Amino acid sequence: MLIGLLQLELRIAASHSLKDKRQVLQSTIEQIRRQFNVSVAEVGHQDAWQAATLGIAAVANERRFLDEVLSKVEAFVESDPRIEVVGTETEIL
């Protein structure tokens, strides 16, 4: 069994309050969960208006599958015009 972890550091420039940030993140998190069948949580910058850190985890028996899923998740988040990805970190355990 392999575990793939992806950490995304995000900037949400149009956010002017925590409520604005939460709306963007909740929508994005739900879409990621539905589309990619992975676990997602906001794991950092909870009190910042324009910054967020998402943690994404997936479990599989092949490294190639994990690499593919996590790269698709990253590309999906990067394609959202409301969000700027400013940092990523991937780890396979």
Side-chain angles (χ1 to χ4, degrees):
M1 173 177 70
L2 297 171
I3 301 167
L5 304 171
L6 173 64
Q7 182 173 308
L8 298 175
E9 297 287 334
L10 309 176
R11 182 172 182 273
I12 306 166
S15 176
H16 300 292
S17 68
L18 287 176
K19 184 177 179 180
D20 290 345
K21 174 186 163 181
R22 298 279 182 258
Q23 287 175 335
V24 171
L25 286 181
Q26 286 177 354
S27 167
T28 302
I29 287 170
E30 282 306 313
Q31 289 176 347
I32 292 170
R33 284 181 180 147
R34 273 195 310 262
Q35 191 168 348
F36 300 102
N37 194 27
V38 295
S39 296
V40 185
E42 182 181 2
V43 295
H45 302 295
Q46 283 94 346
D47 294 330
W49 292 3
Q50 294 183 334
T53 303
L54 291 183
I56 297 104
V59 177
N61 57 0
E62 292 183 18
R63 182 184 179 97
R64 185 178 52 164
F65 177 78
L66 287 174
D67 288 336
E68 183 179 319
V69 168
L70 296 178
S71 66
K72 285 182 180 180
V73 170
E74 184 178 346
F76 174 80
V77 174
E78 287 176 341
S79 73
D80 190 328
R82 304 171 298 174
I83 299 172
E84 177 186 357
V85 177
V86 294
T88 65
E89 186 178 328
T90 305
E91 187 175 351
I92 306 293
L93 306 172

